[in-house]
Amino acid sequence: MPLPLYLLAMAVFAMGTSEFMLAGLLPGIASDLDVSVGTASVLTSAFAIGMMVGAPLVAALARNWPSRSSLLGFVLAFAAAHAVGAITTSFPVLVATRAVAALANAGFLAVALTAAATLVPADKKGRALAVLLSGTTVATVAGVPGGSVLGTVFGWRATFWAVAALCLPAALGILKGTPAGRGKDDATGGPALRAELASLARPRLIVVMLLGALVNAATFGSFTFLAPVVTDTAGLSELWISVVLVLFGAGSFVGVTVAGRLSDRRPGLVVAVSGPLLFVGWPALAELADKPVALCTLVFVQGVLSFALGSTLITRVLYEAAEAPTMAGSYATAALNFGAAAGPAVAATTLSTEFGDLGPLWMSGLLVAVALLIAFPLRTVVAAGRSAEVLQ
């Protein structure tokens, strides 16, 4: 894999740390800004909505800009949003900074996903995506737990400052390692924006985007509310939140790595194996969450399955949107973040029910069940191998 791909992954690490870190910071933010944990979860939804809306919008605006300038500008805007968030004492302002950071993240990821696909041969998109997403999974392994520790010891604002600082070496890496010119599709006069948008009418593309959204909704719906499960249900100390997040992140790294090897050639196998197991895993986690060993084990397993299935579906979006070379990345980003916005919002409604802190885990199981019901009769859409796509 080419070096610029790893430099893009470095920036994704900084942004992934921010996207996931609230799972360990929500109680502290809620207490400091005098809001409930459920209200504080709006920060997660605001970020996801910003990415969902911003991905296609910013990608359309930036489709004719040089890739390096676009990526650099997005990273610096992301850093500035976190600096403002670190000093504000207003919850609405903090929500606004999350929305701005999300727009920057959306623009970066949409351009980066497209750029990653152009850096490798047409039949290696899955592996390129795995390298890019390794930035996110490493963030869940190291960045998010590290941020949780910072938040526990020094307060949640320290984590926001740390994310802003992480953006600086990422920006330098982009400046030094990413080609200054426009992509090869731009240079040769790629398809018009209207033609790229028309690809959204393809039923196969709509199906894989919907499946990706549902799986990500399940992932974020539970991940966002893991902290109270660890401390209240399992009865562990706050420092164990970081341990559980590390386990989830380690599992996600394994899942993305395995899927990167299989999603180009055997996407149907990944979906057939990980989908039903993921569906069973969320209710199992809800039933066994009061047992620390079972909690830690199942969190790791769910991390593996969630990211194996999710990254495979992202790869399918990129293949199905092959006729939209500058917008494909934004379609994948929008689908995933629609799920990331809806998941915590839907899961939060279960907190006031008889299920309490375990409600999000049951809701995640339901969301995966819906995805499986949709996928089964349309399984040929996600089972197509790379060879069929390359020949199109």
Side-chain angles (χ1 to χ4, degrees), residues 16-27 41 44 136-137 139-145 148 215-230 241-252 282 285 299-300 302-303 306-307 340 343-344 347 357 359-361 364:
T17 297
S18 174
E19 185 172 8
F20 286 101
M21 69 183 183
L22 291 184
L25 300 178
L26 282 183
S41 70
T44 299
T136 298
T137 58
T140 60
V141 174
V144 174
S148 181
V215 170
N216 213 40
T219 301
F220 269 81
S222 286
F223 187 83
T224 301
F225 298 103
L226 272 181
V229 173
V230 173
I241 295 174
S242 300
V243 175
V244 171
L245 294 179
V246 166
L247 289 171
F248 186 89
S252 67
W282 289 124
L285 182 55
V299 162
F300 174 81
Q302 292 303 92
S306 294
F307 276 76
D357 291 339
L361 302 177
S364 291

Side-chain angles (χ1 to χ4, degrees), residues 11 14-15 18 21 47 71-87 97-98 100-105 108 157 159-172:
M15 295 182 174
S18 174
M21 69 183 183
F47 193 93
L71 294 170
L72 184 61
F74 291 138
V75 168
L76 294 178
F78 189 81
H82 281 77
V84 174
I87 62 176
T97 66
R98 295 302 287 171
V100 171
L103 288 173
N105 192 353
F108 179 89
R157 298 178 190 277
T159 305
F160 274 67
W161 281 117
V163 170
L166 279 173
C167 291
L168 301 182
L172 182 61

Side-chain angles (χ1 to χ4, degrees), residues 113 122-130 133 205 208 256 259-260 262-265 267 307-322 328 332 336 384 386 389:
L113 283 168
D123 60 350
K124 300 292 186 183
K125 291 180 181 179
R127 292 192 63 182
L129 181 63
L133 288 183
L205 177 57
V208 292
V256 165
L262 295 174
S263 58
D264 287 315
R265 293 181 178 273
F307 276 76
L309 183 57
S311 63
T312 297
L313 292 171
I314 299 174
T315 303
R316 299 311 307 160
V317 172
L318 295 179
Y319 276 124
E320 295 296 339
L336 292 179
R386 123 187 131 178
E389 307 296 339

Side-chain angles (χ1 to χ4, degrees), residues 136-374:
T136 298
T137 58
V138 171
T140 60
V141 174
V144 174
S148 181
V149 171
L150 276 178
T152 300
V153 177
F154 298 106
W156 63 270
R157 298 178 190 277
T159 305
F160 274 67
W161 281 117
V163 170
L166 279 173
C167 291
L168 301 182
L172 182 61
I174 292 168
L175 187 63
K176 296 294 184 181
T178 305
R182 296 161 68 183
K184 61 184 180 182
D185 289 315
D186 293 330
T188 57
L193 178 60
R194 179 176 297 181
E196 295 200 43
L197 293 176
S199 67
L200 284 172
R202 296 187 62 200
R204 291 169 63 97
L205 177 57
I206 293 173
V207 168
V208 292
M209 289 176 66
L210 176 60
L211 294 177
L214 286 168
V215 170
N216 213 40
T219 301
F220 269 81
S222 286
F223 187 83
T224 301
F225 298 103
L226 272 181
V229 173
V230 173
T231 56
D232 298 341
T233 304
L236 299 172
S237 68
E238 288 188 0
L239 288 177
W240 273 93
I241 295 174
S242 300
V243 175
V244 171
L245 294 179
V246 166
L247 289 171
F248 186 89
S252 67
F253 182 80
V254 172
V256 165
T257 301
V258 172
R261 301 288 179 176
L262 295 174
S263 58
D264 287 315
R265 293 181 178 273
R266 304 292 299 277
L269 176 63
V270 177
V271 174
V273 173
S274 59
L277 291 176
L278 188 63
F279 162 64
V280 173
W282 289 124
L285 182 55
E287 287 292 326
L288 300 172
D290 59 338
K291 299 175 175 60
V293 173
L295 170 67
C296 293
T297 301
L298 286 171
V299 162
F300 174 81
V301 172
Q302 292 303 92
V304 173
L305 297 172
S306 294
F307 276 76
L309 183 57
S311 63
T312 297
L313 292 171
I314 299 174
T315 303
R316 299 311 307 160
V317 172
L318 295 179
Y319 276 124
E320 295 296 339
E323 296 177 359
T326 68
M327 295 296 292
S330 70
Y331 298 161
T333 302
L336 292 179
N337 284 281
F338 179 83
V346 173
T349 65
T350 67
L351 295 174
S352 59
T353 68
E354 61 183 279
F355 295 106
D357 291 339
L358 300 178
L361 302 177
W362 288 105
M363 179 58 67
S364 291
L366 178 61
L367 290 170
V368 174
V370 173
L372 292 176
L373 289 174
I374 295 172

